Amino acid sequence: MRTTATMALAVALSIGGGFLDCGSARAQGSPGDDADKTLEKYRAMISDPMSNPGYLAVDAGEALWSMPRGTKNASLETCDLGEGPGKLDGAYAKMPRYFADTDRVMDAESRILWCMETIQGFDTTAIRKKPFASSGGNPATEIEALVAFVANRSNGHVYAAKMEHPKEREMVALGEALFFRRASVNDFSCQTCHGQEGQRIRLQKLPHFDTPRDAQATMGSWPTYRVSQASLRTMQHRLWDCYWQMRMPDVGYTSDVTIALTAYLTKKAEGGKIEVPSIKR
Amino acid sequence: MIRTILAALCAAAFAPVVTAHAADAIDPARVERAVAEAWRNLPPDLQARVEQDETMRLCSQYHNAPPPEVAAAILAREKKNIAYPADGKFLGDWKKGEASALSGFGGRMGDDPKRANGGNCYACHQLAPTEISYGTLGPSLLGYGKLKGTSEAAQKEVFERIYNAQSALACSTMPRFGHNGFLTVQQITDAVAFLLDPDSPVNK
């Protein structure tokens, strides 16, 4: 098993530096094809949960979930993610969703934080200030690990976020407006990169969210272990990273902007299967 | 013949992408409220990035497919805003243009503002045949100068498109590099040279 992991990482590193290597390998037609095939081979090789470092976060999250902690010395085992207290299986597949107790549409991350505050008595200010692990092989933060664990318990489920409640519908509409909202020094919106089918940025393929299989493959594979960052990453991080690339200031963690975009994209991914944590470039 | 190819190229370059409106209608004020909550307590330069100018607002509203009268108004406004090189020379240094085309540096949180921003042209366009790591969000510009020529008019037209893509096509997805101050006028003339100069690898 260890050999597989080492080989996988070696391939990963060579792919990570691929932009430089590709310059010397002149190819006719579509230069992305070879990289795609290599990446596909690599993904197949590390689809084994025992060699995907993202599963370290799942294990850490499982321990955090059941451990009595916080000022109330309670575990998260009574946390209601929408399917009832403590019911985890398939819960992630129905998020974001409306919660009557907060009168808010919440994604997995904001809901887990809310449980930490109300059930365990945590002050989550510090977590919200630094929710993501620094790149470079650092262990997942508490919230990243918890999200990885919760999301993993929806493996094999299909996305079934109905978005029927008026507040859910409002979030989907808000997400759509934000998807097209252009701003900052490059006039970018999400649509700039994700508005056409089959496009690449440099050699990187871009998902097109009006194409159901693209939307499903994307939304069904987060959280993911990102090899280029050597870290487990959640959808909140993906959106923060997109806005960073769009030359926007840091988007508010678990803000309505991030939850609305997640709701909009999840709606597009309806019927797609969840297999997480995946592993990506 | 060349004119036809060019026309097709340009049409493809600036063709807006139409996407179906699927979700419920939402009050623009609700959207801006969410934006204000998600980006709080910013210094003025960063706050300016979050806010939209009239062109951004209209392109967002119409999903980059504005009706003809809105498109005409955008074209007129954006064309008016172009600043031209002080020395009147549109053709800069293609080698500097090439370096900029390869660089995606600049403008991101944490990027050193003292280091020059890159044009990042290869993120979206094919340019020199030797560079195979190119994106496809924009049209291929391989051999562009051979098609376009190096006339004064061609130079000026290309300068204007890079300075402000929306002076040529309303709601083009390409950044308004000069208008937004992301690239300097000098950097834009270097990019013009990279595209048009017969010695540039783009035209080899």
Side-chain angles (χ1 to χ4, degrees):
Chain A
M1 206 62 75
R2 219 164 255 175
T3 321
T4 318
T6 314
M7 275 172 60
L9 285 173
V11 175
L13 289 171
S14 74
I15 291 169
F19 285 170
L20 298 172
D21 300 336
C22 291
S24 55
R26 284 199 52 183
Q28 296 292 315
S30 174
D33 287 355
D34 281 352
D36 281 349
K37 272 181 203 145
T38 314
L39 205 57
E40 213 39 70
K41 231 164 91 184
Y42 162 63
R43 282 199 191 109
M45 198 163 72
I46 53 176
S47 63
D48 175 357
M50 296 303 283
S51 56
N52 175 348
Y55 275 84
L56 293 171
V58 174
D59 292 347
E62 183 170 20
L64 284 169
W65 187 266
S66 53
M67 201 186 295
R69 300 193 315 143
T71 57
K72 297 185 181 174
N73 198 35
S75 81
L76 286 169
E77 285 160 327
T78 58
C79 176
D80 184 354
L81 296 172
E83 294 298 283
K87 295 220 167 101
L88 283 176
D89 290 336
Y92 188 82
K94 295 180 181 173
M95 298 177 93
R97 69 191 287 168
Y98 174 76
F99 290 88
D101 50 16
T102 55
D103 192 29
R104 240 196 109 183
V105 176
M106 302 170 99
D107 66 348
E109 296 185 63
S110 48
R111 187 63 185 177
I112 292 168
L113 284 167
W114 185 81
C115 285
M116 289 173 75
E117 289 159 1
T118 54
I119 298 170
Q120 299 184 304
F122 273 112
D123 175 358
T124 60
T125 313
I127 297 174
R128 291 175 188 275
K129 218 170 257 177
K130 197 188 180 305
F132 312 129
S134 303
S135 292
N138 295 299
T141 61
E142 274 182 32
I143 187 65
E144 284 171 331
L146 284 164
V147 173
F149 165 64
V150 164
N152 175 255
R153 290 287 296 267
S154 282
N155 271 4
H157 290 256
V158 294
Y159 264 118
K162 292 196 186 91
M163 308 293 175
E164 281 167 353
H165 188 279
K167 292 222 168 172
E168 291 170 348
R169 292 180 64 126
E170 189 203 27
M171 282 306 242
V172 171
L174 177 60
E176 183 180 63
L178 291 163
F179 190 84
F180 286 91
R181 187 182 185 277
R182 300 180 69 167
S184 197
V185 291
N186 276 344
D187 299 322
F188 289 150
S189 72
C190 309
Q191 186 270 351
T192 308
C193 284
H194 303 290
Q196 301 174 62
E197 195 171 1
Q199 301 298 309
R200 304 194 312 257
I201 186 159
R202 283 286 181 133
L203 281 184
Q204 182 66 34
K205 266 193 175 172
L206 296 161
H208 174 237
F209 291 102
D210 278 344
T211 303
R213 68 168 186 281
D214 276 17
Q216 290 166 357
T218 300
M219 299 310 284
S221 59
W222 288 82
T224 190
Y225 182 81
R226 289 204 65 183
V227 172
S228 58
Q229 303 175 8
S231 298
L232 183 284
R233 296 306 191 197
T234 64
M235 185 47 62
Q236 281 285 334
H237 185 275
R238 175 62 273 180
L239 293 172
W240 168 82
D241 200 0
C242 279
Y243 274 119
W244 180 80
Q245 287 287 8
M246 288 156 68
R247 275 73 182 168
M248 285 286 273
D250 297 332
V251 65
Y253 180 67
T254 67
S255 58
D256 269 2
V257 164
T258 59
I259 293 170
L261 281 167
T262 306
Y264 173 63
L265 298 175
T266 304
K267 184 69 188 161
K268 297 237 171 228
E270 212 167 14
K273 205 167 159 196
I274 297 174
E275 283 301 334
V276 294
S278 68
I279 188 150
K280 294 178 191 283
R281 182 179 66 83
Chain B
M1 173 65 179
I2 286 175
R3 194 164 294 178
T4 317
I5 295 171
L6 264 180
L9 204 66
C10 294
F14 295 101
V17 180
V18 184
T19 310
H21 293 231
D24 301 330
I26 187 147
D27 179 2
R30 169 73 182 98
V31 180
E32 294 314 303
R33 215 162 52 238
V35 167
E37 281 165 18
W39 286 278
R40 279 183 294 188
N41 305 322
L42 295 171
D45 60 324
L46 292 182
Q47 181 58 35
R49 293 194 187 194
V50 173
E51 285 161 17
Q52 298 180 295
D53 67 13
E54 184 64 0
T55 296
M56 287 168 171
R57 194 186 63 75
L58 289 166
C59 294
S60 306
Q61 180 189 337
Y62 291 107
H63 291 194
N64 296 320
E69 67 281 5
V70 175
I74 291 172
L75 284 175
R77 176 171 53 240
E78 299 302 320
K79 184 116 186 161
K80 219 167 48 194
N81 290 334
I82 296 174
Y84 293 92
D87 61 4
K89 289 188 180 126
F90 292 110
L91 216 54
D93 180 343
W94 69 258
K95 285 180 185 159
K96 285 184 185 161
E98 180 175 41
S100 173
L102 285 160
S103 166
F105 183 86
R108 299 163 300 199
M109 294 302 102
D111 280 352
D112 178 2
K114 279 177 255 167
R115 210 175 120 190
N117 291 345
N120 207 13
C121 313
Y122 278 109
C124 300
H125 297 282
Q126 183 181 26
L127 293 146
T130 44
E131 179 54 68
I132 65 146
S133 175
Y134 61 85
T136 55
L137 289 162
S140 171
L141 300 172
L142 186 71
Y144 189 69
K146 282 193 270 194
L147 290 168
K148 196 93 184 159
T150 51
S151 69
E152 178 84 12
Q155 292 175 25
K156 184 170 181 236
E157 186 193 320
V158 174
F159 177 90
E160 287 174 343
R161 287 195 169 195
I162 301 170
Y163 190 95
N164 191 334
Q166 298 201 48
S167 70
L169 185 94
C171 301
S172 162
T173 50
M174 185 161 135
R176 294 169 293 171
F177 285 110
H179 174 76
N180 292 343
F182 196 78
L183 296 179
T184 64
V185 166
Q186 181 64 54
Q187 281 182 305
I188 295 171
T189 61
D190 293 339
V192 174
F194 183 49
L195 282 171
L196 297 185
D197 197 313
D199 291 334
S200 161
V202 169
N203 302 312
K204 293 294 176 192

